[in-house]
Each structure stands twice: as structure tokens, then as C-alpha cells.
Amino acid sequence: MLEKREFDKSDFLWRLSSTITIVAGLFSLLVFILIIVNYWMIKRADPVNHELLTYLRVEYANAPEKDEALAQRIRDLDLITRKAFFTSQTHLRIGAWVLLGSVSIFLIAFKNMMRWRPQLPELADVPTADKEFLAYAQSRHLITWAGIGLLAGGMMTSYFSETALTAELLAQPAAAEGGAESAAGAGQAAAAVTAPAWDEMLVNWPSFRGPGANGVAHFTTAPVSWDVESGEGVRWSADLTMPGHNSPVIWGNRLYISSADETVREVACYDTETGDLVWKKTINALPTSPREAPDVMEDTGHAASTMAAHGDLVFALFANGDLVALDQEGNQRWGRSFGIPDNHYGHSSSLLAYGDILYVQYDQAVEPKLHGVNISTGKDAWVAERNKISWASPILAQTTFGPQVILASEQDADGYDPVTGNLLWSVKCLGGEVSPSPAYANGMVFVANEYAVASGVTLEGAEGAVTATVSWEFNELLPEVSSPVGDGDRFYFGTAIGDIVCLDAKTGETLWVEEVEDGFYASPILVGDRIYIADLKGNMYVFRTGSAYEELARFSLGEPAFATPAFMDNRVYLRTPEKLYCIEAP
Amino acid sequence: MSERKKIDRRDFMRFTGAAAFTGATWMAVGEKAEAKYWQLDPAKCTQCGQCTTHCVLNPSAVKCLNQFDICGYCDLCFGYLQPGSRDLDSGAENQLCPTAAIERKYIEAPYYEYKIHEDKCIGCAKCVKACLIFGNGSFYLQIRQDICINCNECSIAKSCPSDCFSEVPQSQPYMFLTGDTYLAHPPALS
């Protein structure tokens, strides 16, 4: 009997019951929060009116021919939707019983904890009210901290449980077209893709303004003049039926362009030898794609972003935020939706791939970001926060300090590590709503924007410790949309009012200005010692690089020119609003 | 010691009268005080879809049933297949039910049996509506009493636009349809 009393007096039981109380309380709160989140999700789920399923079923029924890939997609989405709905309900039922049990344990343990709590000797000089306050102080602290801990844990848990389904939907791989591949491709992990080396990229035209999107062609020969009306110099041409301001990209003997209007998104592949349409792929809505088309300006359209061709894969980004990866046969390898960008002009940044990463400059009013997307899976390898936005495109500069991804924004030029996405340097040197992309040549970055300023930024230091300083500024004639190009000694650009401007790369001094017929949206391309640039009326200007303007050719393309031409192996590939041309020197 | 109160004749008559009145009232209302269940009348139902969303339970206690003696066992079942389905098979792209609660089982050419899995049914009535418009009308809705918690004021009843919900006695809790007419209390369950 004496032993029992001594045992009672020890604080073992009090500690035990306290621990059980805390654990049971935490667990109960966690379960409670999960139940609330689950209940909310069930209330939101509406299996009767699933918009995407309804849309896909109508699309399937209206298709002229039976589309097995679409049928498989409907089956996959139907399964996911039902599974999510009924699983949530099962979890809700189980959770209610678990909560009942854990709350019961909590109450019993709490009762025992109060019973066995250490009894301190009463102090005669402490007033009654203070004694009670002191006696319950520990409990108050306990409950307060337990509540804070539970709340934090619950919020984290609810966040992760909520994002689980979203992640599942986001990562939904599109079923590859065709029979067995369709079923196999739907639920399996994406196979790793071998990324092409930089040397391979140089002999192709993988992105907007060529390798690295810097406006410099690896090939140094190209026809100087041609005539689309008479057909002189035209190897082949193809009619285009869908709108798109993006430029052609080429990998091997295949040329890719994207097109889109409010409802239809397409990617087309042409044979560069013959101009034959190899395939045309309609890009269906993804499970998380926005249901409404974005508001875009006519000058921007729904397919302004130039694709990226990268070995076995090509990538396309549309104005609604849908990004897809296709293989060379047009099979969709993966797709993801970034959501409609909060962007009053429409999205125009082009894609750029290097190594295993696809760079998506997703600048928008809210939370602008540079996404480093894994080319094999479509998931983010990293995400870099952006302070300011632009409508420009990223470039890859092969500097003496290693490769860098360089972006322009409303106030900065920024350099990023292409592998980690870490910001290497940032310098304030811009202003206004920036559309021209940066240009890099010989250790110097050049950024410019109309109604603001142009800046020459010098990169110095060592790999991993690069400093960027503004060497000079220029604010007379400036580009609005067209991006600049550098030949190492000079930078060249076209303005929106119809000037071709040449600046000294080291000093920013104006070397020459050539006034031409119309303004420029398309960007200049450096091919050997020649620069090609087309104005909005469709006049092509070919001039020699140097400290004076030396025009080699000036002729009409017959149509307005928004897109920048591609140059490969003695040929020019040109997209006009209605035609795709391949020009070849005799 | 207190003096015991003596009951006189008048008090006795009052007590007896009151007891008789109470007993008679109890017996009179006893029959009507039998427990009642909510049920919907399939004849009034317009398949508005509110049974899916307005029941306090999720999924709803209202389920679809198939009355097999009315069912045509059609190959082209309008309650099972989407309008304009390319194929008359069980692919999700062809099924009308949003939760795939209807099982299609081959009997013999060209007949199929359509069985409803009530654990998957959410009471949306999409199949009921289509079967009623284009088919024999064998699909219909009913409140499952083993699921219903019998709210004092049924949430669906309050919102039902066709006023097809009513309280039925415990002994007759289901309202079936048979052939061209609806039988409120079929002998099998009464």
C-alpha cells in the first residue's frame, strides 16, 4: 500500500498521461483538419458536370474519324476523376472514426493528466486567486504551444494532401498516339531523353534566332537575294492555314512551326528537303488547361512563342500557358499547363533548351518566374523567381565564364546559371515594357527598349563570380520589338519606325543609321559577315557588317514579315502570315 | 402524524374521466404516430438533378434502380450510353453515367442486362432521364432507407421543384413503379 502511494506521488503517471494527451491531441487536430480539407474537396468535386470530360466527349463524338488516343485519354481522366471522388469519401468515413477514437483517448488522458499532475505545497502567503492562476499556468502553456504546433502541422499536411491530386493531374502524361503505345504511355514514368550537345545545336536551328537564341547563324553562307513572285531561288513553299507569329525551328531535316487561334492549337512538321507536311498535330487540352482562351493582342496572337527543337524532342508553348513536348513523329511525350498568364499583351517569350533543361520565361504580372523544365519529364528542375517582367525571350550566351542564360526585364538584365537556375548577376539598365531580347557578343551583353534606354553591359570576373557593369548607355533610336545582334565589334538593331542602327560595342557610339521603308518586328540574323533583317512590309535588307552601311540586297518578300527567318546549310527558311518558304542559293 | 386525505366521489369521477380521455386520445393517435420515412414519388420526378447536391449526405441517399420487368434489355440503352456514341461498348468515352455505376452484362444477342451499383450511384438521374425519354423508362430514383438519416426536414424535399417528396409510413417505405403505373406500396414490401 505504501509502495502504491509512493508510485502515485511520483510524476511518472503525470508525464505518461501528458505525453498521451499531447500526442492524441495533435493527432486529433491533424485528423480534424484533414477531414475538413477532404470534405471541402468532396464538396468541390462535381462528377456530373466535369467540364473537361464533357468537352473531350463532345470532341470525340464530333471527330470525323475514331480517335483511339482521345478515347484512351477520356478513359484515363474518367478513372482519375472517379477514383479521386470515391477515395475522398472513403477517407472521410475512415477519418471520422479515427477522430472519434483519438478524441476519446485525448479526453481520458487529459482527465488522468489533471488527476496526476504534481501537487505543490500550498503557500500560505499567496492569495487564492493567484494560486489558481499558477496551478493552471502550465496547462495553459501546454495547450497554447500544442495548438500552435497542431495548426502548423495541420496546415502543412493539408497543403501536401491537397497538392497530391493536383500534382497527379499536372504530371498526367499524354497518351502516345497509336495502339499499344497509347496504353503503355499513359501511366508510366517518362523515359529519359538524351540531350544533344552544344556542337549538335550549332549545326541546327533549334530556337528563335538560332542556336542559343542569340541571332548568330553557325553557317556562314546563304542566298543574298531571291524572288518569291517569280519563284527564283525558291526551293519550295507551303501554304499556311492557321495563324502564328512564331519563327520556324529546324532539327536535322525537319522544320517545326506552331499555330493557334482561340480554340485550336497545332504543331506542324515539314520536310526541309521537299517542303512536304510530315505531320500536323492538334494539341488537345490538358486536364489542367484553362477552359477559356486568353485575351491577346492581334499583333501577339495565340502562338507567338517560337518552339524549341532539341534532338529527339520539340517543345511548343501557347498563349493559354499550355506547354507540350512532342517527339519527331508528332507523338505527345508530356504536357503541362502553366495557366493563363496575367499578361495584357499575350505571352510571347520563346522557348530555349540547353542540356537537360528547357527554359520557360513565364513572366506575368503575378509571380513571374523562369522555369527550368526537365526535358524528359516536363517537371520543374528548378524555378527562379523574377523581380520584374518582360515580353522578351531568354538567350544562352557561351561566355568565357561558362554558359549563362540571360534575360531582360522591365528594369534589369539578369544572368542565370543554366544548370541550377541561380541568379549569377543582375544589373539595372532597362526601363519600360521590354520586348527585344538581349544580345551577347565578345563579353558584352546588349539590351535595349524603345522609350527607355539601350545599355552595353560588360561581364567580368571568373566562373561563379561574374560581375556585370553598365559600360555605356544609348537612348536615341531604340528597338520596340525586334531584338539586336552583335558581331563582336558592333551591335545592330532595327527600330519600329524604320531605322537600322549600328553601335560600337565598346563605346556605344553610333556608327551609322540607315532609314528604311517600314519598322521592324522580325529580328536581324548574322550569317557570316552579312546581316539579314525584314521589315513589317516584307522588305528584306541584306547588308555587310562593318562601320559603314553597305547594302548587298533589298527586295520584297511579297507579304508582311513578323517572324525571324532560319538559316541552315546555304538555305533560308521563312515564315510569312500565309506561306512557308525555303530559299536556296543556286 | 398527518391526517390522510379522503378521496370523495367527485374527485374519483374526475380522475376516472381524465384517465379515460387520455387513453382514448392515445389510442386514437397511436395509429398515426407510426414512424415515417421520406420517399420520392417516381411518377412526379422530373430528374432535375438536385438529389445529387441537396441531400445532406454525400453521395446522396437517393439512388437509381432498374426495374427489370420494364427494362427492354436493349443493345442501344439510352440510360447507359452517351447520345451519339461511336461504339455500343463499355468504354468511358461512351458511358453516360458519370461514375460508371451501371454495369452492362451480355445476355444473348441482342440483349444486355443493366445492373446499378448503388455504392457508386450519386443520384444524378442522368440515366433516368435518358431512359424515360428514349427508352422504356425502367430506371427510376428512390431514397434508400438504410442510407437515409431521415432528417426532420429533408433537404431535398425542401428544394424539390416537382414536390415529389413525402413522408410514408414505416411499414411502406418504398414507392416502386410497375409497368405503366407506379405502385406506391408493392405487396413484397408492405
Side-chain angles (χ1 to χ4, degrees), chain A residues 470-495:
Chain A
V470 178
S471 293
W472 49 262
E473 288 187 347
F474 172 82
N475 53 15
E476 294 173 18
L477 296 167
L478 294 164
E480 184 189 11
V481 177
S482 176
S483 302
V485 65
D487 65 359
D489 297 323
R490 290 160 290 270
F491 285 110
Y492 308 85
F493 57 86
T495 69

Side-chain angles (χ1 to χ4, degrees), chain A residues 250-455:
Chain A
I250 303 167
W251 196 273
N253 62 349
R254 296 198 164 183
L255 179 149
Y256 305 94
I257 56 169
S258 64
S259 309
D261 58 20
E262 284 190 356
T263 55
V264 179
R265 292 170 291 282
E266 283 182 355
V267 172
C269 171
Y270 293 86
D271 188 311
T272 56
E273 295 297 319
T274 63
D276 292 339
L277 179 66
V278 181
W279 49 260
K280 184 184 281 187
K281 172 81 176 179
T282 299
I283 308 301
N284 292 317
L286 302 161
T288 50
S289 295
R291 300 268 63 83
E292 295 178 358
D295 288 329
V296 298
M297 287 184 63
E298 191 178 347
D299 281 355
T300 309
H302 294 269
S305 303
T306 296
M307 299 172 63
H310 200 51
D312 294 335
L313 295 180
V314 288
F315 309 97
L317 176 67
F318 297 93
N320 69 344
D322 279 7
L323 172 69
V324 293
L326 309 173
D327 63 22
Q328 292 195 353
E329 305 308 316
N331 298 315
Q332 190 171 319
R333 296 290 286 270
W334 52 259
R336 60 180 288 188
S337 171
F338 288 95
I340 291 179
D342 186 358
N343 186 330
H344 51 282
Y345 295 126
H347 194 74
S348 62
S349 288
S350 296
L351 298 173
L352 172 68
Y354 179 66
D356 295 329
I357 304 293
L358 174 71
Y359 305 97
V360 183
Q361 184 175 349
Y362 215 64
D363 283 352
Q364 55 176 329
V366 181
E367 297 182 348
K369 290 183 173 73
L370 171 64
H371 291 262
V373 177
N374 184 300
I375 59 170
S376 300
T377 63
K379 295 178 180 174
D380 286 328
W382 46 260
V383 178
E385 306 287 339
R386 301 265 292 147
N387 290 327
K388 295 289 181 180
I389 68 170
S390 80
W391 284 261
S393 301
I395 70 166
L396 183 95
Q398 295 287 4
T399 73
T400 53
F401 324 112
Q404 294 184 13
V405 175
I406 299 174
L407 272 61
S409 81
E410 285 178 340
Q411 69 177 29
D412 307 316
D414 304 312
Y416 295 87
D417 185 312
V419 177
T420 64
N422 292 334
L423 184 66
L424 300 174
W425 53 267
S426 180
V427 59
K428 283 192 170 66
C429 57
L430 272 169
E433 296 180 323
V434 180
S435 286
S437 304
Y440 173 81
N442 199 19
M444 181 76 79
V445 176
F446 180 61
V447 288
N449 186 42
E450 196 174 44
Y451 306 121
V453 69
S455 299

Side-chain angles (χ1 to χ4, degrees), chain A residues 99 191 388 457 479 543:
Chain A
L99 182 64
K388 295 289 181 180
V457 179
F543 56 91

Side-chain angles (χ1 to χ4, degrees), chain B residues 27-124:
Chain B
M27 291 177 68
V29 301
E31 181 80 15
K32 293 176 184 173
E34 182 185 1
K36 296 206 172 170
Y37 286 144
W38 286 104
Q39 191 50 267
L40 70 86
D41 186 346
K44 294 180 181 176
C45 176
T46 56
Q47 304 87 41
C48 67
Q50 294 201 26
C51 289
T52 324
T53 53
H54 283 65
C55 183
V56 295
L57 298 172
N58 193 343
S60 172
V62 176
K63 303 293 180 186
C64 175
L65 282 80
N66 187 12
Q67 187 138 337
F68 292 102
D69 55 352
I70 300 175
C71 180
Y73 296 85
C74 310
D75 181 11
L76 174 57
C77 173
F78 295 99
Y80 180 75
L81 296 163
Q82 292 270 354
S85 299
R86 282 185 180 275
D87 299 305
L88 308 184
D89 62 25
S90 58
E93 68 276 16
N94 299 320
Q95 284 193 37
L96 179 66
C97 178
T99 58
I102 308 176
E103 181 188 356
R104 173 186 166 106
K105 182 181 172 186
Y106 177 74
I107 306 294
E108 63 179 39
Y111 299 113
Y112 287 82
E113 181 183 281
Y114 298 92
K115 180 183 170 186
I116 294 160
H117 293 275
E118 291 184 26
D119 55 335
K120 293 180 187 172
C121 178
I122 55 175
C124 68

